[in-house]
Amino acid sequence: MNSQTNLPIEDMVKWRRHLHENPELSFHEVETAKYIYQLLKTFPNLELTTPTENSVVAILKGAKPGKTIALRADIDALPIVEEADVAFPSQNEGVMHACGHDTHTAMLLGACKVLTSMQEKIAGTVKFIFQPAEEVPPGGAKFLVEAGVMKDVDLVFGIHIFPKIPVGVVAIRTGALTAAADIFELKIQGVGSHGSTPELAIDPILVGVEIITNLNNIISRNIAAFDNAVLSIGEFTSGNSANVIPDTAKIQGTVRTNDPAVRTLVRKRIEEIIEHVTKMYGASYELNYIMGYSPVVNDSEATELVRKAALKVVGEKGLITAPQMMGGEDFSAYTDVVPGSFFVVGGGTAEEGCGYMNHHPKFKINEGALAVGAEMEIQLITDLLINDEE
């Protein structure tokens, strides 16, 4: 099958640009969800549901019974001021589709439009999931799973676009693709004093420096060299005057791991270090450790299906192995309960102006990638639910 000529390319570009101009933050995608819902209402043969706030799930039931396959796109944007050189910049100041979720949504809308016209050939059911709040834990996927969206699903597939990879390239990986993404928030309570009398203080800045120094030794001294783990401090704030020792300090950080045992060990060591260092200096603390997304683990059989689809869509030259990533993705909420595969499509090269990675204010993609993503989704459904021999 070659659905390329049937793809609504101009519509996909228009949809993507509308979404790009009107980004909304996680858990606030009200107008985005309305826009998607109204578009889907114009497609034939769909049942539309809104199982959670700001989500849209479109169900396409084939003419014959069969498996249920879910395809997912995320719809939220990021709190970033756009600096990308595009003719359709964000009109929502301080909010930007800097991760490509606008492209994921346009891809899935395009695939949906094509597949709805093939309803008579489909033996099974397709669920098109337009999911809010991928960027902010606990994430929107968790609530969709709790709402029962995956109960009858046999396989689930998702796409992520990345720049610095040519359009026409699909990257796949079996096993762990992303990392568990945990966050810790620490408040250190000391005793303030005048800068001239440090002996009367319990300096939370000094305590914080000691804690951070020791936290940064966890990866090099407690984790085996062949195990993946990252610990990064993103915030250390305290005080507002040159001659005042403050009484509190705040530290925030993130932990990324691929293995559950390593994840548990890192958390244990963080808690131990904070407890002992604060006790040593006579300070107290409040620690909020947030267990974020689990790793996306791609099922081997599902990934083989993606590989076969990619060979048909982009050919052997366009198929590569995706590296293991330390970023987090709440697609893991789906793969924790249903076999599936999450794969990458190339979004363009640096020479094309697509040289800034996701979450950068100059993030930009080549819109030619929209067709590749939609083609992959259509091909997966064709391979799984359509028998052209009949």
Side-chain angles (χ1 to χ4, degrees):
M1 168 193 156
N2 180 11
S3 60
Q4 179 76 26
T5 55
N6 299 323
L7 275 176
I9 301 293
E10 291 185 4
D11 285 339
M12 291 167 65
V13 170
K14 180 179 70 175
W15 299 334
R16 184 261 165 158
R17 293 185 177 187
H18 173 87
L19 293 166
H20 193 88
E21 288 181 320
N22 298 277
E24 294 180 295
L25 295 174
S26 305
F27 297 107
H28 298 279
E29 312 91 335
V30 177
E31 296 304 319
T32 302
K34 286 181 182 177
Y35 178 76
I36 293 167
Y37 191 94
Q38 291 303 317
L39 276 176
L40 291 170
K41 281 178 66 176
T42 68
F43 298 178
N45 304 317
L46 289 177
E47 298 176 16
L48 301 183
T49 65
T50 54
T52 65
E53 188 173 10
N54 301 335
S55 70
V56 182
V57 176
I59 301 170
L60 174 62
K61 293 183 178 178
K64 299 176 184 179
K67 291 182 177 180
T68 297
I69 310 300
L71 302 173
R72 173 270 208 168
D74 36 16
I75 68 173
D76 55 326
L78 287 158
I80 292 175
V81 177
E82 180 157 22
E83 298 177 10
D85 179 22
V86 295
F88 45 92
S90 170
Q91 300 302 301
N92 186 359
E93 182 65 28
V95 183
M96 178 191 175
H97 269 295
C99 199
H101 296 186
D102 52 341
T103 68
H104 304 163
T105 301
M107 290 171 187
L108 190 56
L109 285 168
C112 183
K113 188 165 189 178
V114 171
L115 289 167
T116 54
S117 68
M118 301 164 63
Q119 188 254 358
E120 289 297 322
K121 297 181 179 181
I122 294 174
T125 299
V126 187
K127 284 190 177 183
F128 304 90
I129 300 172
F130 297 88
Q131 178 215 303
E134 186 278 326
E135 295 288 359
V136 177
K142 171 181 182 289
F143 298 110
L144 283 165
V145 171
E146 290 174 354
V149 170
M150 305 303 289
K151 281 185 178 177
D152 59 346
V153 172
D154 295 290
L155 291 167
V156 60
F157 298 95
I159 286 174
H160 209 299
I161 193 167
F162 283 102
K164 297 189 177 183
I165 301 173
V167 170
V169 170
V170 172
I172 64 173
R173 186 179 189 88
T174 299
L177 176 68
T178 67
D182 303 327
I183 294 171
F184 60 91
E185 302 169 340
L186 173 65
K187 178 184 177 182
I188 302 167
Q189 183 63 56
V191 176
S193 181
H194 194 281
S196 65
T197 55
E199 73 277 7
L200 301 179
I202 298 176
D203 187 346
I205 296 176
L206 181 62
V207 176
V209 169
E210 189 81 20
I211 287 172
I212 290 172
T213 299
N214 282 277
L215 292 183
N216 281 317
N217 289 330
I218 292 174
I219 306 305
S220 65
R221 289 297 175 265
N222 297 129
I223 306 303
F226 293 104
D227 290 330
N228 294 327
V230 174
L231 190 158
S232 296
I233 304 299
E235 178 185 3
F236 184 8
T237 55
S238 184
N240 53 26
S241 178
N243 65 344
V244 177
I245 297 174
D247 62 348
T248 62
K250 181 181 179 183
I251 296 171
Q252 288 194 91
T254 184
V255 176
R256 307 300 174 103
T257 54
N258 296 117
D259 182 88
V262 174
R263 188 183 194 186
T264 300
L265 174 60
V266 174
R267 176 175 182 170
K268 178 174 178 288
R269 291 295 295 128
I270 288 172
E271 292 172 341
E272 289 173 344
I273 287 168
I274 291 170
E275 179 184 1
H276 291 297
V277 172
T278 52
K279 186 176 182 180
M280 179 174 67
Y281 282 95
S284 59
Y285 69 94
E286 296 175 11
L287 175 64
N288 182 24
Y289 201 101
I290 303 166
M291 300 295 281
Y293 308 149
S294 57
V296 173
V297 180
N298 284 337
D299 176 77
S300 59
E301 293 182 9
T303 305
E304 176 62 14
L305 292 168
V306 176
R307 187 187 72 83
K308 290 179 178 178
L311 288 174
K312 296 174 184 176
V313 174
V314 299
E316 190 170 349
K317 290 183 178 179
L319 182 62
I320 64 173
T321 300
Q324 196 168 33
M325 307 174 198
M326 298 310 289
E329 233 294 344
D330 83 335
F331 190 81
S332 59
Y334 305 123
T335 55
D336 283 347
V337 296
V338 172
S341 190
F342 193 62
F343 58 96
V344 170
V345 295
T349 63
E351 290 74 17
E352 298 169 315
C354 306
Y356 295 93
M357 287 302 294
N358 309 65
H359 292 220
H360 193 283
K362 293 183 179 180
F363 171 83
K364 188 168 69 170
I365 64 97
N366 181 332
E367 289 179 327
L370 299 177
V372 179
E375 275 288 320
M376 283 295 300
E377 291 167 329
I378 294 165
Q379 191 64 56
L380 282 164
I381 298 304
T382 300
D383 292 348
L384 285 161
L385 301 184
I386 297 177
N387 186 349
D388 287 329
E389 294 179 359
E390 293 184 2

